[in-house]
Amino acid sequence: MTTVRDLLILLISSSLVSNVVLSQFLGLCPFLGVSRKTNTAAGMGVAVIFVITLASAVAGGIYQYVLTPLGIEYLQTIVFILVIAALVQFVEMFLKKFIPSLYQALGVYLPLITTNCAVLGVALTNVQKEYGILTGIVNGFGTAVGFTVAIIILAGIREKIAYNDIPRPFRGMPIVLLTAGLMAIAFCGFSGLL
């Protein structure tokens, strides 16, 4: 039985200590591609929170109640990819219908959530660590919140450094990668938290 304390520790750990982007290096494509403006980064973060949390719940349920009883656990990766693709299509249709400005701003990166290795990584981690459905959802939510925090921080820094006089060799992606590396070092400070 998992206590509330254990779930809270898992939430903090998965969002800050084991940040999916800055310590596990998963989900770098949208992290680097959508972090030009904070409003776009926040929109991507909310979409990722929704997809990862829901994917954790659905994948955990399918694994526990369908794949394991039938003895076909080896199909987990294929099934999880199909679940994630369906959820991303749902998010894409929702944003296109109700928030078209965010849909346009996210552009090609919204369908890329389907192939975002962070989403699949969380689903597989939940299975490997034998998390129950509730624990898996908390881990997924914490991971997605950590992704959102990291992408919004990077977007804020990128907005500020756009007006700085950066040496020519560091302009563009080199300064972004350097910034992300410094953020990863800063997030290592959270390892003493738990």
Side-chain angles (χ1 to χ4, degrees):
M1 186 73 181
T2 306
T3 64
V4 174
R5 180 179 179 270
D6 293 337
L7 293 175
L8 186 60
I9 288 172
L10 178 63
L11 182 70
I12 293 169
S13 174
S14 60
S15 61
L16 297 176
V17 178
S18 301
N19 188 285
V20 70
V21 177
L22 300 174
S23 70
Q24 298 176 17
F25 308 112
L26 296 175
L28 289 176
C29 179
F31 177 69
L32 297 173
V34 183
S35 61
R36 294 173 198 253
K37 298 194 179 295
T38 52
N39 58 352
T40 308
M44 174 60 91
V46 169
V48 167
I49 287 173
F50 178 78
V51 170
I52 288 182
T53 305
L54 202 55
S56 296
V58 174
I62 289 174
Y63 184 81
Q64 186 173 351
Y65 296 115
V66 177
L67 298 180
T68 302
L70 294 175
I72 53 174
E73 296 92 347
Y74 56 89
L75 293 176
Q76 68 187 11
T77 304
I78 295 168
V79 171
F80 293 170
I81 289 172
L82 292 174
V83 166
I84 292 164
L87 291 173
V88 170
Q89 287 300 313
F90 174 74
V91 169
E92 190 173 0
M93 289 185 305
F94 177 82
L95 290 178
K96 189 174 186 179
K97 175 92 173 156
F98 295 107
I99 313 174
S101 60
L102 181 58
Y103 175 78
Q104 292 295 328
L106 292 175
V108 70
Y109 293 101
L110 185 57
L112 284 178
I113 294 176
T114 304
T115 58
N116 185 345
C117 55
V119 183
L120 181 61
V122 170
L124 293 174
T125 299
N126 289 343
V127 169
Q128 289 172 349
K129 292 188 176 183
E130 298 179 356
Y131 288 155
I133 294 175
L134 177 63
T135 308
I137 292 170
V138 170
N139 182 50
F141 179 75
T143 301
V145 167
F147 176 87
T148 303
V149 167
I151 197 171
I152 290 174
I153 290 172
L154 182 63
I157 293 171
R158 284 181 77 173
E159 285 180 353
K160 296 293 182 190
I161 64 175
Y163 301 107
N164 292 344
D165 186 25
I166 298 170
R168 186 175 305 272
F170 289 102
R171 290 184 188 159
M173 195 51 66
I175 194 69
V176 174
L177 292 173
L178 185 63
T179 303
L182 292 172
M183 285 175 58
I185 292 169
F187 267 67
C188 285
F190 289 120
S191 62
L193 188 64
L194 299 177

